[in-house]
Amino acid sequence: MENVIEIENLKKSFNGSEVLKGISLTVKKGENLVVLGKSGQGKSVTIQCVVGMIEPDEGSIKVLNKEINELDEQELKDIRGRIGFLFQHAALYDSMTVRENLAFPLKRVLKVKDEAEIEQRSVEALEAVGLADAIDKMPSDLSGGQRKRMGLARTLIVKPEIILYDEPTTGLDTITSKEISRLILSIREKYKASSIIITHDMSCARITADRIVIMNDGKCIAEGTYEQLENSSDTFINSFFKI
Amino acid sequence: MKETITLKIKDLFEDIGNQATFVGSFFRNIFRNGFEWNELIRQCYLIGLKSLNIVLITGFVLGFVLTLQSLPTLQQFGAEGYVPNMVSISIFREIGPVITSLICAGKIASGIGAELGSMKVTEQIDAMDVSGANPIQYLVVTRILACTFMVPLLVLFADAVSLLGGYVGTSTAGGMTAALYFSKSFSSLVFSDFFPAFIKSIFFGFTIGFVGCYKGFKANKGTESVGIAANSAVVAASVWIIILDAVAVQLTSIFVYNQ
Ligand SMILES: Nc1ncnc2c1ncn2[C@@H]1O[C@H](COP(=O)(O)OP(=O)(O)O)[C@@H](O)[C@H]1O
Ligand SMILES: [Mg+2]
């Protein structure tokens, strides 16, 4: 099957300390890849490299068959329009209503001008995340779980081919976490997007993952399905799966 | 000791370089497709309106105080008739633009610094960037242009109100009629009192917008950096205004008054 993301030997240092020491991973079309790892292992840095927010020191990143670090400004914008990025704290535009938050990428990235179309697509995106009644609220009126949903709606509205989730369930209670995890799964069905899901929430990993990569000390140290890794004989890998 | 100094100097030059890059991207993004007209108008409205009250009050008080202060001295020479001329010239040439801009630095630059700083810290600016939208175009171009347009306008308002303050000042001292006061004020004003001052307030406005945006975008992670952004925006904008004013005064006296 076709790969939508191919990362090879990715290296990155900050102020002399090496955070990524040669990451290689691929995401196939339509696949949900979960990246597991402790805090501060460079998981966020990895997906920030994928969208060109951080420039790597070494290595290659191919996204949708384009080498990210060789793109000019306009090409990078175009490819970013095809990638959705869900920030850990949702990063909602808090001076705008939910409606304006949703219209923002539609108007500026997809250049949709027709108000009726904007309205229809906003409602559709909100319905997909189960937040249809919040369209006239301000982000500050939303709960933690609702903010995540809202961030997801703003990502989905441009119909991205790839979605990058940075800790989608962190900071939520267990029940809301499970709801978000199931939502991620249903979005894959509906939008046919491929995803990287960064998490250290094992229930999220179990629900969403087609395949799991474990990152530690700047490297990918294991790869497999949830069942394969759960039954691994390696004690470190195993420690993720113990309750 | 020596190392910290070299480090400080290195930081300084890095900062200058970053500011130059920021100005460059501002100018490049003005002419990009998709200019944010609506946001520009909204920012003009917000920036103008937010500072109007305080600018008007200050303008009035400036005219009033300046009049009361100079009256006794001029009376000693029997020259109290020249109060309106003196007040209007000093306000239009110098005090109006500088004081108004310093007040706008406190009000507007800190507001922009805090707003963009908190957007940066909560990753809203990154989110815009990563979504393929253009945060410089949406946030920076609109705010800098709005300041560049609105600050000179606010200066004009302050100038006008200060004349009123001056009149109230003379009338408390049992001075002249309103008609005489204002005709004296205006008769002493010539184009060269007004025009260089107007040009420099455009630069002051640009500086206020630029410094606010730059400090906001420079905020790094952490809530306290929002406060730092707001605070350092006011300080830097005020210092720049004073430096620019000194340069402007020199240039004006060379090229306009031919001294
Ligand atoms: N922009 C940056 N500048 C400097 N250091 C950074 C930056 N981004 C991340 N780091 C550092 O890289 C390390 C990995 O961070 P991150 O990828 O956020 O970890 P996590 O795996 O928890 O997502 C951390 O030590 C962090 O301090
Ligand atoms: Mg992280």
Side-chain angles (χ1 to χ4, degrees), chain A residues 38-45 47-48 88 166-167 198 200:
Chain A
K38 293 185 295 181
S39 271
Q41 300 300 316
K43 304 186 296 294
S44 300
V45 171
I47 58 169
Q48 285 172 359
Q88 191 170 336
D166 197 348
E167 309 205 5
I198 290 179
H200 45 230

